[in-house]
Amino acid sequence: MEQYVITISRQFGSMGRSIARELSEILGIEFLDRDIVEATAKRMGLPVSVISDEEESMKSTFFRRQYPLGMGMSSLKDEIFLTQKNIIRDFAAKGSCIIVGRCADYILEDIPNHLNVYVYAPDEARLKNCVENLRRLPGKRYGHRSGYPGSSQSDTGEDRHYDLQRRSSEKHHGIWYSAGA
């Protein structure tokens, strides 16, 4: 079978990460999420906590420069994005995998055999998932994709990069059904 990559983007609280993990087990391929953060920290020589904190607060424009005409140093957030972009491309070249978040749908749009999936759920289901399953409240992830070229996603998943969108809250369409469908 040819190598392929599945990217999973999701609304906070939609259980997209859990669906991606389950799907990777069903397909027997690598699941990548926090591994990308750890690889970024290692490659940049920074603590994982610094990468996590910066990554979660990414809201600025892509490649914003401190000086006119792009003369100057890019921000730490831009450096993290560029490092993660290279890491994501390295993982995709290595073998079939599922990559969660981190603008992977945009980063890998030019490679063959990729499927971009968006998992979403209504507010009530997301709140329930946050309270009952995730034990954390929505917050910083909403602005993560904004400002990057070609990444115009709204919180409803309206983005041209997705080949499939999956509502994770429907009856019989939870984690297992969404992963196995």
Side-chain angles (χ1 to χ4, degrees):
M1 175 180 266
E2 283 189 60
Q3 181 176 316
Y4 60 93
V5 177
I6 299 171
T7 68
I8 307 274
S9 298
R10 74 272 186 223
Q11 274 184 315
F12 186 90
S14 67
M15 303 305 292
R17 184 177 192 277
S18 300
I19 291 167
R21 181 179 298 281
E22 180 73 22
L23 182 59
S24 75
E25 290 175 15
I26 291 168
L27 297 173
I29 61 176
E30 192 167 10
F31 167 81
L32 300 161
D33 184 15
R34 296 297 301 170
D35 316 72
I36 296 168
V37 174
E38 292 165 8
T40 302
K42 184 176 180 180
R43 202 172 278 187
M44 294 181 73
L46 294 170
V48 171
S49 62
V50 170
I51 302 299
S52 293
D53 290 348
E54 287 294 319
E55 180 191 60
E56 289 297 322
S57 68
M58 287 183 176
K59 294 179 188 170
S60 64
T61 60
F62 182 64
F63 283 112
R64 183 186 305 191
R65 302 292 181 185
Q66 294 176 354
Y67 301 97
L69 305 174
M71 304 296 290
M73 303 295 290
S74 62
S75 72
L76 178 58
K77 288 175 178 56
D78 291 339
E79 293 299 322
I80 290 170
F81 178 80
L82 290 174
T83 302
Q84 286 187 347
K85 177 181 177 180
N86 292 329
I87 289 167
I88 287 167
R89 291 186 79 76
D90 292 347
F91 276 125
K94 189 172 75 171
S96 294
C97 59
I98 294 177
I99 301 174
V100 176
R102 292 173 183 81
C103 304
D105 59 321
Y106 169 72
I107 292 168
L108 300 175
E109 70 181 349
D110 63 333
I111 68 162
N113 299 322
H114 71 276
L115 177 70
N116 301 321
V117 177
Y118 184 75
V119 179
Y120 63 99
D123 290 345
E124 313 81 58
R126 292 172 36 218
L127 178 60
K128 180 181 174 194
N129 290 337
C130 289
V131 172
E132 293 180 8
N133 300 324
L134 301 177
R135 300 287 185 230
R136 70 182 224 198
L137 297 175
K140 300 176 184 175
R141 294 291 302 172
Y142 289 113
H144 180 68
R145 293 174 60 104
S146 65
Y148 292 105
S151 183
S152 59
Q153 175 190 331
S154 70
D155 196 39
T156 60
E158 297 168 4
D159 191 313
R160 67 179 180 275
H161 295 291
Y162 300 116
D163 301 305
L164 172 70
Q165 291 193 30
R166 185 71 177 164
R167 185 171 174 161
S168 63
S169 64
E170 297 299 307
K171 185 177 181 182
H172 307 297
H173 293 180
I175 293 170
W176 185 87
Y177 184 85
S178 290

